[in-house]
Amino acid sequence: MVKVHQKSEGSYCLGIESTADDFGVGVATFDGEVLANKSDSYIPAEGGIHPREAARHHAEVADTVLQDALSKSGVKASELTCIAFSQGPGLGPSLRTGATVARALASYLEIPLVGVNHSVAHIEIGKLQTGAKDPVTLYASGGNTMVTAFESGRYRVFGETLDIALGNCLDVFAREAGLKHKKGLPLGAAIEQLALKSGRLISLPYVVKGMDLSLSGLVTAATTALQKGDCTLEDVCYSLQEHAFSMVTEVTERALAHTEKKEVLLTGGVAANKRLQAMLKVIAEEHDAKFSVVPLQYATDNGAMIAWTGTLAYRHGLVTPIDQSMVKLRWRVDKVDVPWIQ
Ligand code: AMP
Ligand code: MG
């Protein structure tokens, strides 16, 4: 990214999200109003996300999602100030499809391109929508699980998964249990519904190492417990949630105690889960901190968060020349300067 000039008020940013299974387009004003947030998600016929299939899906729906978002926003393409896109982290083929659309739009409209870090965007949309100012954030999704807080110019990672993400842990178990991903009912939500029907806690691995955690052994143990057949699917869903959510809550609590921040924010696709919300609320209250959760429509990957974060970056003079707009598959949140926070 390079520094250019400042932008005045009354401007619009169009944001494109395409890190994994979702292709999203959002339009936001520089004042933080989301004018549109449209998306279309790739649902694998079976198994997990196939990166090339996801990219093919994104290429197929890009035009429609883009048109829908623009028409919902009431903003003409010629009125846009800049185009923001998810530059990473994520799956290469998915990222490259969104980046290609963004580059083409920015070039055609002759307006700047702004590469946005996907994890930063999840935190910023959470702050925008809840009013949180300086939270300890648990960002938990299908591809990422980390506890962050702002310190010295960047969002620092206080703890993270050492292997798979929390959403992926739920998704993998759900598939092993034969559950099917349906439109409007992600696998994590299906597990949440089943978990409500049990209160029987079976013992599963609980792995917190310092400030980090590991979830892959938990999935294997949960799958084995189900196959043994001495407990129900509902019992395993309940126990899986209790173990996994306790782990991320423990790490979040320690980050809160260490930083002495007064807010806890939950963001990312798994933020939709009521049990996880309840656990975090308890630790927040114990530390006299305010608990906030990102609204459902901004929890999972979406274009609005990219558009909003694009405005923050652009306002601080950050743009991405086309020849520096290659996607960054492993772009960590703590490698990104966030000059909009003083
Ligand atoms: P994202 O990666 O941010 O798009 O979020 C998708 C992830 O959120 C997937 O792993 C879903 O299974 C998970 N998810 C969505 N809704 C829920 C829920 N109610 N409980 C737990 N996980 C959920
Ligand atoms: Mg997703």
Side-chain angles (χ1 to χ4, degrees), residues 11-13 26-29 32-37 69-75 298 304:
S11 315
Y12 309 103
C13 177
V27 179
T29 69
E33 195 186 343
V34 174
L35 301 178
N37 191 27
L70 273 175
S71 106
K72 167 84 179 144
S73 72
V75 176
Y298 302 111

Side-chain angles (χ1 to χ4, degrees), residues 22 122 141-142 167-168 170-171 186-189 192 268-270 272-273 299-301:
D22 305 295
H122 270 289
S141 69
N168 195 28
L170 300 173
D171 295 346
L187 290 170
E192 180 177 24
V270 190
N273 191 289
T300 202
D301 298 339

Side-chain angles (χ1 to χ4, degrees), residues 173-197:
F173 172 74
R175 284 196 294 272
E176 292 288 344
L179 302 176
K180 291 268 177 274
H181 184 167
K182 299 184 194 125
K183 213 171 173 72
L185 188 70
L187 290 170
I191 292 202
E192 180 177 24
Q193 287 181 3
L194 289 164
L196 285 172
K197 297 182 187 152

Side-chain angles (χ1 to χ4, degrees), residues 112-129:
L113 187 64
V114 183
V116 164
N117 179 283
H118 174 86
S119 309
V120 169
H122 270 289
I123 300 170
E124 292 301 346
I125 197 73
K127 285 165 59 188
L128 175 73
Q129 297 295 330

